[in-house]
Amino acid sequence: MTPHINAKENAFAKTVLMPGDPLRAKFIAENYLENVSLVTDVRNMYGYTGEYKGKKISVMGSGMGIPSISIYAYELFNFYGVENIIRVGSCGAYSDKLDLYDIVLAQGACTNSSFQENYHIPGTFSAIADFDLLLKAYNNAKDLGIEPHVGNVLSSDVFYQDDVNAWKKWQSMDVLAVEMESYALYTIAANLGKKALTILTVSDSLVTQKETTAEERQNSFTKMMEIALNL
Ligand code: ADE
């Protein structure tokens, strides 16, 4: 047990899928996995372990933002022997090449957070996905007939930005989209010698101001899950 996870030792598989929403974790467990059991429920941040195509796999909510995912990722990697965390989330498009529901594989993550100060690095740490996971996810997507966008994302500490044009600076650096967690996930994985990847579905666009509905998001989510579950 850890301060935020009340699962028994060995309760998690080596690979954990992490949506932001714990009810999404419940949905994945109930709809995609077999022989599933709930392994943790502290603060209703549900975590489940089951099987997909006969292979043990876990799914757990991360919550929103860097502080939240950093707690769960650290505890899973450090205390539960987890080797791979695959974040499955949503993002806001910064690039005009992205349409709603497109899939983004976050090759790297930039941030406006001070998270890296925790590590006292004498410079700027570039947070990147594990290459093997990235390559496999890319190939899985292609096999499913999906053309994923691969590149940089911004892991922002702020959802409601006071300067409504600030995102254009990131766009000018070819940052594809914004979300709020991957920089911490990738940094923690690097620091602990573990593997991580973020797969995102575009839920809104800063370029076109278009947004998806919750119901539409649910449907588009299937593509992302198939890429992630077959890693
Ligand atoms: N996740 C999905 N859309 C987002 C946005 N516009 N900003 C931050 N995180 C997001």
Side-chain angles (χ1 to χ4, degrees):
M1 299 240 260
T2 66
H4 309 93
I5 301 175
N6 57 1
K8 295 199 183 99
E9 216 184 324
N10 299 322
F12 286 94
K14 294 285 175 218
T15 299
V16 179
L17 305 187
M18 288 204 109
D21 180 353
L23 292 180
R24 185 53 66 84
K26 185 169 188 275
F27 178 89
I28 294 167
E30 288 173 353
N31 289 279
Y32 293 93
L33 307 188
E34 290 174 325
N35 305 320
V36 183
S37 50
L38 178 71
V39 295
T40 182
D41 63 358
V42 178
R43 291 174 179 245
N44 293 327
M45 194 58 82
Y46 304 125
Y48 301 82
T49 296
E51 287 174 15
Y52 181 76
K53 294 184 180 167
K55 208 175 120 196
K56 192 174 165 189
I57 190 158
S58 297
V59 55
M60 181 176 176
S62 70
M64 286 186 286
I66 284 175
S68 186
I69 197 168
S70 66
I71 289 171
Y72 298 111
Y74 183 87
E75 292 183 8
L76 288 171
F77 281 145
N78 209 40
F79 301 118
Y80 284 99
V82 170
E83 293 295 328
N84 312 298
I85 295 181
I86 318 294
R87 166 166 150 68
V88 282
S90 61
C91 64
Y94 279 179
S95 164
D96 59 10
K97 296 193 186 92
L98 265 55
D99 286 326
L100 295 185
Y101 309 115
D102 277 3
I103 299 286
V104 176
L105 304 178
Q107 183 179 16
C110 309
T111 195
N112 52 19
S113 119
S114 59
F115 185 76
Q116 74 149 9
E117 287 175 19
N118 192 33
Y119 299 92
H120 304 287
I121 296 157
T124 308
F125 180 72
S126 295
I128 56 169
D130 176 75
F131 182 73
D132 288 339
L133 289 175
L134 179 64
L135 185 62
K136 269 193 210 156
Y138 182 80
N139 288 332
N140 284 357
K142 290 287 219 178
D143 289 347
L144 291 162
I146 299 160
E147 189 61 55
H149 301 267
V150 183
N152 236 334
V153 300
L154 171 67
S155 300
S156 181
D157 252 0
V158 186
F159 187 89
Y160 297 106
Q161 194 99 31
D162 188 49
D163 176 357
V164 293
N165 289 314
W167 67 275
K168 291 180 184 164
K169 290 285 180 195
W170 293 105
Q171 184 196 49
S172 77
M173 299 304 288
D174 203 23
V175 171
L176 300 177
V178 59
E179 49 89 80
M180 303 185 80
E181 292 83 13
S182 298
Y183 187 88
L185 175 61
Y186 289 0
T187 302
I188 291 167
N191 182 248
L192 298 176
K194 307 281 184 168
K195 297 182 175 189
L197 173 69
T198 292
I199 307 174
L200 301 162
T201 301
V202 177
S203 63
D204 54 280
S205 170
L206 284 281
V207 184
T208 63
Q209 309 285 327
K210 285 191 200 149
E211 285 179 8
T212 56
T213 62
E215 194 187 343
E216 289 167 330
R217 276 203 295 279
Q218 183 71 52
N219 298 333
S220 66
F221 183 71
T222 310
K223 287 197 284 188
M224 187 165 62
M225 286 317 304
E226 285 181 30
I227 297 171
L229 282 163
N230 289 297
L231 282 174

PDB file of all heavy atoms in Angstrom, residues 124-149:
ATOM      1  N   THR A 124      17.760  22.210 -19.255  1.00  0.00           N
ATOM      2  CA  THR A 124      16.354  21.917 -19.566  1.00  0.00           C
ATOM      3  C   THR A 124      16.202  20.457 -19.964  1.00  0.00           C
ATOM      4  O   THR A 124      16.876  20.005 -20.891  1.00  0.00           O
ATOM      5  CB  THR A 124      15.884  22.804 -20.738  1.00  0.00           C
ATOM      6  OG1 THR A 124      16.188  24.159 -20.415  1.00  0.00           O
ATOM      7  CG2 THR A 124      14.397  22.661 -20.979  1.00  0.00           C
ATOM      8  N   PHE A 125      15.353  19.733 -19.268  1.00  0.00           N
ATOM      9  CA  PHE A 125      15.155  18.320 -19.591  1.00  0.00           C
ATOM     10  C   PHE A 125      14.106  18.159 -20.689  1.00  0.00           C
ATOM     11  O   PHE A 125      12.993  18.661 -20.560  1.00  0.00           O
ATOM     12  CB  PHE A 125      14.725  17.535 -18.345  1.00  0.00           C
ATOM     13  CG  PHE A 125      14.516  16.073 -18.638  1.00  0.00           C
ATOM     14  CD1 PHE A 125      15.590  15.243 -18.890  1.00  0.00           C
ATOM     15  CD2 PHE A 125      13.240  15.542 -18.705  1.00  0.00           C
ATOM     16  CE1 PHE A 125      15.410  13.894 -19.204  1.00  0.00           C
ATOM     17  CE2 PHE A 125      13.037  14.197 -19.017  1.00  0.00           C
ATOM     18  CZ  PHE A 125      14.130  13.380 -19.262  1.00  0.00           C
ATOM     19  N   SER A 126      14.467  17.458 -21.768  1.00  0.00           N
ATOM     20  CA  SER A 126      13.523  17.152 -22.842  1.00  0.00           C
ATOM     21  C   SER A 126      12.851  15.829 -22.527  1.00  0.00           C
ATOM     22  O   SER A 126      13.497  14.784 -22.496  1.00  0.00           O
ATOM     23  CB  SER A 126      14.258  17.035 -24.180  1.00  0.00           C
ATOM     24  OG  SER A 126      14.797  18.278 -24.533  1.00  0.00           O
ATOM     25  N   ALA A 127      11.555  15.878 -22.306  1.00  0.00           N
ATOM     26  CA  ALA A 127      10.811  14.676 -21.930  1.00  0.00           C
ATOM     27  C   ALA A 127      10.348  13.971 -23.199  1.00  0.00           C
ATOM     28  O   ALA A 127       9.621  14.558 -24.011  1.00  0.00           O
ATOM     29  CB  ALA A 127       9.614  15.062 -21.074  1.00  0.00           C
ATOM     30  N   ILE A 128      10.766  12.716 -23.373  1.00  0.00           N
ATOM     31  CA  ILE A 128      10.426  11.984 -24.610  1.00  0.00           C
ATOM     32  C   ILE A 128       9.785  10.636 -24.288  1.00  0.00           C
ATOM     33  O   ILE A 128      10.023  10.041 -23.243  1.00  0.00           O
ATOM     34  CB  ILE A 128      11.659  11.774 -25.529  1.00  0.00           C
ATOM     35  CG1 ILE A 128      12.794  11.053 -24.788  1.00  0.00           C
ATOM     36  CG2 ILE A 128      12.132  13.105 -26.076  1.00  0.00           C
ATOM     37  CD1 ILE A 128      13.921  10.592 -25.701  1.00  0.00           C
ATOM     38  N   ALA A 129       9.015  10.158 -25.269  1.00  0.00           N
ATOM     39  CA  ALA A 129       8.376   8.846 -25.139  1.00  0.00           C
ATOM     40  C   ALA A 129       9.418   7.749 -25.285  1.00  0.00           C
ATOM     41  O   ALA A 129      10.481   7.944 -25.883  1.00  0.00           O
ATOM     42  CB  ALA A 129       7.328   8.696 -26.244  1.00  0.00           C
ATOM     43  N   ASP A 130       9.108   6.583 -24.760  1.00  0.00           N
ATOM     44  CA  ASP A 130       9.954   5.419 -24.999  1.00  0.00           C
ATOM     45  C   ASP A 130       9.846   5.053 -26.485  1.00  0.00           C
ATOM     46  O   ASP A 130       8.740   4.913 -27.025  1.00  0.00           O
ATOM     47  CB  ASP A 130       9.480   4.241 -24.148  1.00  0.00           C
ATOM     48  CG  ASP A 130      10.278   2.995 -24.461  1.00  0.00           C
ATOM     49  OD1 ASP A 130      11.433   2.915 -24.021  1.00  0.00           O
ATOM     50  OD2 ASP A 130       9.758   2.129 -25.205  1.00  0.00           O
ATOM     51  N   PHE A 131      10.994   4.863 -27.131  1.00  0.00           N
ATOM     52  CA  PHE A 131      10.976   4.668 -28.586  1.00  0.00           C
ATOM     53  C   PHE A 131      10.279   3.369 -28.995  1.00  0.00           C
ATOM     54  O   PHE A 131       9.529   3.333 -29.969  1.00  0.00           O
ATOM     55  CB  PHE A 131      12.395   4.718 -29.166  1.00  0.00           C
ATOM     56  CG  PHE A 131      12.389   4.564 -30.657  1.00  0.00           C
ATOM     57  CD1 PHE A 131      11.958   5.596 -31.475  1.00  0.00           C
ATOM     58  CD2 PHE A 131      12.771   3.367 -31.247  1.00  0.00           C
ATOM     59  CE1 PHE A 131      11.916   5.454 -32.849  1.00  0.00           C
ATOM     60  CE2 PHE A 131      12.732   3.216 -32.628  1.00  0.00           C
ATOM     61  CZ  PHE A 131      12.306   4.265 -33.432  1.00  0.00           C
ATOM     62  N   ASP A 132      10.529   2.275 -28.243  1.00  0.00           N
ATOM     63  CA  ASP A 132       9.902   0.987 -28.599  1.00  0.00           C
ATOM     64  C   ASP A 132       8.385   1.087 -28.551  1.00  0.00           C
ATOM     65  O   ASP A 132       7.687   0.596 -29.440  1.00  0.00           O
ATOM     66  CB  ASP A 132      10.350  -0.126 -27.641  1.00  0.00           C
ATOM     67  CG  ASP A 132      11.789  -0.521 -27.883  1.00  0.00           C
ATOM     68  OD1 ASP A 132      12.297  -0.257 -28.992  1.00  0.00           O
ATOM     69  OD2 ASP A 132      12.402  -1.083 -26.958  1.00  0.00           O
ATOM     70  N   LEU A 133       7.872   1.717 -27.484  1.00  0.00           N
ATOM     71  CA  LEU A 133       6.416   1.871 -27.356  1.00  0.00           C
ATOM     72  C   LEU A 133       5.870   2.762 -28.464  1.00  0.00           C
ATOM     73  O   LEU A 133       4.821   2.483 -29.045  1.00  0.00           O
ATOM     74  CB  LEU A 133       6.053   2.462 -25.982  1.00  0.00           C
ATOM     75  CG  LEU A 133       6.234   1.546 -24.770  1.00  0.00           C
ATOM     76  CD1 LEU A 133       5.956   2.321 -23.481  1.00  0.00           C
ATOM     77  CD2 LEU A 133       5.305   0.335 -24.868  1.00  0.00           C
ATOM     78  N   LEU A 134       6.617   3.827 -28.763  1.00  0.00           N
ATOM     79  CA  LEU A 134       6.185   4.758 -29.811  1.00  0.00           C
ATOM     80  C   LEU A 134       6.109   4.053 -31.167  1.00  0.00           C
ATOM     81  O   LEU A 134       5.127   4.181 -31.900  1.00  0.00           O
ATOM     82  CB  LEU A 134       7.161   5.939 -29.862  1.00  0.00           C
ATOM     83  CG  LEU A 134       6.888   7.014 -30.909  1.00  0.00           C
ATOM     84  CD1 LEU A 134       5.573   7.724 -30.654  1.00  0.00           C
ATOM     85  CD2 LEU A 134       8.028   8.046 -30.914  1.00  0.00           C
ATOM     86  N   LEU A 135       7.150   3.282 -31.468  1.00  0.00           N
ATOM     87  CA  LEU A 135       7.197   2.570 -32.745  1.00  0.00           C
ATOM     88  C   LEU A 135       6.071   1.547 -32.836  1.00  0.00           C
ATOM     89  O   LEU A 135       5.384   1.440 -33.862  1.00  0.00           O
ATOM     90  CB  LEU A 135       8.563   1.893 -32.895  1.00  0.00           C
ATOM     91  CG  LEU A 135       8.834   1.191 -34.223  1.00  0.00           C
ATOM     92  CD1 LEU A 135       8.815   2.175 -35.382  1.00  0.00           C
ATOM     93  CD2 LEU A 135      10.183   0.480 -34.176  1.00  0.00           C
ATOM     94  N   LYS A 136       5.875   0.810 -31.730  1.00  0.00           N
ATOM     95  CA  LYS A 136       4.798  -0.200 -31.727  1.00  0.00           C
ATOM     96  C   LYS A 136       3.435   0.462 -31.891  1.00  0.00           C
ATOM     97  O   LYS A 136       2.585  -0.027 -32.638  1.00  0.00           O
ATOM     98  CB  LYS A 136       4.818  -0.979 -30.402  1.00  0.00           C
ATOM     99  CG  LYS A 136       5.668  -2.222 -30.455  1.00  0.00           C
ATOM    100  CD  LYS A 136       5.386  -3.093 -29.229  1.00  0.00           C
ATOM    101  CE  LYS A 136       6.624  -3.870 -28.857  1.00  0.00           C
ATOM    102  NZ  LYS A 136       6.673  -4.285 -27.475  1.00  0.00           N
ATOM    103  N   ALA A 137       3.226   1.571 -31.191  1.00  0.00           N
ATOM    104  CA  ALA A 137       1.936   2.269 -31.287  1.00  0.00           C
ATOM    105  C   ALA A 137       1.723   2.767 -32.715  1.00  0.00           C
ATOM    106  O   ALA A 137       0.618   2.681 -33.257  1.00  0.00           O
ATOM    107  CB  ALA A 137       1.885   3.431 -30.297  1.00  0.00           C
ATOM    108  N   TYR A 138       2.792   3.267 -33.314  1.00  0.00           N
ATOM    109  CA  TYR A 138       2.708   3.761 -34.694  1.00  0.00           C
ATOM    110  C   TYR A 138       2.309   2.618 -35.633  1.00  0.00           C
ATOM    111  O   TYR A 138       1.399   2.755 -36.454  1.00  0.00           O
ATOM    112  CB  TYR A 138       4.056   4.366 -35.107  1.00  0.00           C
ATOM    113  CG  TYR A 138       4.048   4.944 -36.502  1.00  0.00           C
ATOM    114  CD1 TYR A 138       3.512   6.206 -36.742  1.00  0.00           C
ATOM    115  CD2 TYR A 138       4.555   4.218 -37.574  1.00  0.00           C
ATOM    116  CE1 TYR A 138       3.479   6.728 -38.028  1.00  0.00           C
ATOM    117  CE2 TYR A 138       4.531   4.733 -38.856  1.00  0.00           C
ATOM    118  CZ  TYR A 138       3.993   5.992 -39.074  1.00  0.00           C
ATOM    119  OH  TYR A 138       3.955   6.507 -40.344  1.00  0.00           O
ATOM    120  N   ASN A 139       2.982   1.477 -35.473  1.00  0.00           N
ATOM    121  CA  ASN A 139       2.685   0.328 -36.329  1.00  0.00           C
ATOM    122  C   ASN A 139       1.282  -0.218 -36.074  1.00  0.00           C
ATOM    123  O   ASN A 139       0.576  -0.594 -37.010  1.00  0.00           O
ATOM    124  CB  ASN A 139       3.739  -0.767 -36.139  1.00  0.00           C
ATOM    125  CG  ASN A 139       5.067  -0.357 -36.780  1.00  0.00           C
ATOM    126  OD1 ASN A 139       5.088   0.411 -37.738  1.00  0.00           O
ATOM    127  ND2 ASN A 139       6.167  -0.841 -36.236  1.00  0.00           N
ATOM    128  N   ASN A 140       0.872  -0.246 -34.798  1.00  0.00           N
ATOM    129  CA  ASN A 140      -0.496  -0.696 -34.474  1.00  0.00           C
ATOM    130  C   ASN A 140      -1.522   0.198 -35.161  1.00  0.00           C
ATOM    131  O   ASN A 140      -2.512  -0.283 -35.714  1.00  0.00           O
ATOM    132  CB  ASN A 140      -0.762  -0.642 -32.961  1.00  0.00           C
ATOM    133  CG  ASN A 140      -0.096  -1.776 -32.207  1.00  0.00           C
ATOM    134  OD1 ASN A 140       0.534  -2.638 -32.827  1.00  0.00           O
ATOM    135  ND2 ASN A 140      -0.215  -1.769 -30.897  1.00  0.00           N
ATOM    136  N   ALA A 141      -1.275   1.502 -35.116  1.00  0.00           N
ATOM    137  CA  ALA A 141      -2.201   2.452 -35.726  1.00  0.00           C
ATOM    138  C   ALA A 141      -2.291   2.190 -37.227  1.00  0.00           C
ATOM    139  O   ALA A 141      -3.386   2.079 -37.786  1.00  0.00           O
ATOM    140  CB  ALA A 141      -1.743   3.882 -35.455  1.00  0.00           C
ATOM    141  N   LYS A 142      -1.136   2.048 -37.867  1.00  0.00           N
ATOM    142  CA  LYS A 142      -1.106   1.796 -39.318  1.00  0.00           C
ATOM    143  C   LYS A 142      -1.860   0.512 -39.657  1.00  0.00           C
ATOM    144  O   LYS A 142      -2.612   0.470 -40.632  1.00  0.00           O
ATOM    145  CB  LYS A 142       0.341   1.682 -39.793  1.00  0.00           C
ATOM    146  CG  LYS A 142       1.094   2.999 -39.770  1.00  0.00           C
ATOM    147  CD  LYS A 142       0.616   3.896 -40.876  1.00  0.00           C
ATOM    148  CE  LYS A 142       1.745   4.651 -41.495  1.00  0.00           C
ATOM    149  NZ  LYS A 142       1.340   5.491 -42.607  1.00  0.00           N
ATOM    150  N   ASP A 143      -1.636  -0.531 -38.837  1.00  0.00           N
ATOM    151  CA  ASP A 143      -2.321  -1.805 -39.077  1.00  0.00           C
ATOM    152  C   ASP A 143      -3.835  -1.652 -38.970  1.00  0.00           C
ATOM    153  O   ASP A 143      -4.581  -2.409 -39.593  1.00  0.00           O
ATOM    154  CB  ASP A 143      -1.857  -2.871 -38.068  1.00  0.00           C
ATOM    155  CG  ASP A 143      -0.432  -3.319 -38.339  1.00  0.00           C
ATOM    156  OD1 ASP A 143       0.098  -2.997 -39.423  1.00  0.00           O
ATOM    157  OD2 ASP A 143       0.162  -3.973 -37.458  1.00  0.00           O
ATOM    158  N   LEU A 144      -4.270  -0.709 -38.162  1.00  0.00           N
ATOM    159  CA  LEU A 144      -5.712  -0.481 -37.988  1.00  0.00           C
ATOM    160  C   LEU A 144      -6.264   0.513 -39.019  1.00  0.00           C
ATOM    161  O   LEU A 144      -7.430   0.914 -38.954  1.00  0.00           O
ATOM    162  CB  LEU A 144      -5.989   0.063 -36.577  1.00  0.00           C
ATOM    163  CG  LEU A 144      -5.768  -0.925 -35.418  1.00  0.00           C
ATOM    164  CD1 LEU A 144      -5.629  -0.176 -34.092  1.00  0.00           C
ATOM    165  CD2 LEU A 144      -6.929  -1.911 -35.350  1.00  0.00           C
ATOM    166  N   GLY A 145      -5.403   0.945 -39.939  1.00  0.00           N
ATOM    167  CA  GLY A 145      -5.835   1.893 -40.961  1.00  0.00           C
ATOM    168  C   GLY A 145      -5.901   3.332 -40.459  1.00  0.00           C
ATOM    169  O   GLY A 145      -6.566   4.180 -41.055  1.00  0.00           O
ATOM    170  N   ILE A 146      -5.201   3.607 -39.348  1.00  0.00           N
ATOM    171  CA  ILE A 146      -5.201   4.962 -38.768  1.00  0.00           C
ATOM    172  C   ILE A 146      -3.867   5.621 -39.099  1.00  0.00           C
ATOM    173  O   ILE A 146      -2.805   4.991 -38.979  1.00  0.00           O
ATOM    174  CB  ILE A 146      -5.366   4.884 -37.228  1.00  0.00           C
ATOM    175  CG1 ILE A 146      -6.688   4.220 -36.855  1.00  0.00           C
ATOM    176  CG2 ILE A 146      -5.234   6.259 -36.587  1.00  0.00           C
ATOM    177  CD1 ILE A 146      -6.725   3.686 -35.440  1.00  0.00           C
ATOM    178  N   GLU A 147      -3.917   6.904 -39.492  1.00  0.00           N
ATOM    179  CA  GLU A 147      -2.685   7.666 -39.761  1.00  0.00           C
ATOM    180  C   GLU A 147      -2.445   8.578 -38.552  1.00  0.00           C
ATOM    181  O   GLU A 147      -3.049   9.642 -38.432  1.00  0.00           O
ATOM    182  CB  GLU A 147      -2.866   8.493 -41.034  1.00  0.00           C
ATOM    183  CG  GLU A 147      -1.614   9.154 -41.552  1.00  0.00           C
ATOM    184  CD  GLU A 147      -0.509   8.161 -41.915  1.00  0.00           C
ATOM    185  OE1 GLU A 147      -0.750   7.241 -42.715  1.00  0.00           O
ATOM    186  OE2 GLU A 147       0.602   8.324 -41.377  1.00  0.00           O
ATOM    187  N   PRO A 148      -1.578   8.171 -37.620  1.00  0.00           N
ATOM    188  CA  PRO A 148      -1.408   9.002 -36.433  1.00  0.00           C
ATOM    189  C   PRO A 148      -0.491  10.198 -36.691  1.00  0.00           C
ATOM    190  O   PRO A 148       0.369  10.141 -37.567  1.00  0.00           O
ATOM    191  CB  PRO A 148      -0.752   8.045 -35.430  1.00  0.00           C
ATOM    192  CG  PRO A 148       0.015   7.099 -36.274  1.00  0.00           C
ATOM    193  CD  PRO A 148      -0.704   6.991 -37.592  1.00  0.00           C
ATOM    194  N   HIS A 149      -0.677  11.267 -35.935  1.00  0.00           N
ATOM    195  CA  HIS A 149       0.256  12.396 -35.965  1.00  0.00           C
ATOM    196  C   HIS A 149       1.284  12.122 -34.875  1.00  0.00           C
ATOM    197  O   HIS A 149       0.931  11.765 -33.745  1.00  0.00           O
ATOM    198  CB  HIS A 149      -0.471  13.700 -35.664  1.00  0.00           C
ATOM    199  CG  HIS A 149      -1.574  14.003 -36.631  1.00  0.00           C
ATOM    200  ND1 HIS A 149      -1.393  14.773 -37.766  1.00  0.00           N
ATOM    201  CD2 HIS A 149      -2.869  13.608 -36.650  1.00  0.00           C
ATOM    202  CE1 HIS A 149      -2.531  14.854 -38.432  1.00  0.00           C
ATOM    203  NE2 HIS A 149      -3.445  14.157 -37.773  1.00  0.00           N
TER     204      HIS A 149
END
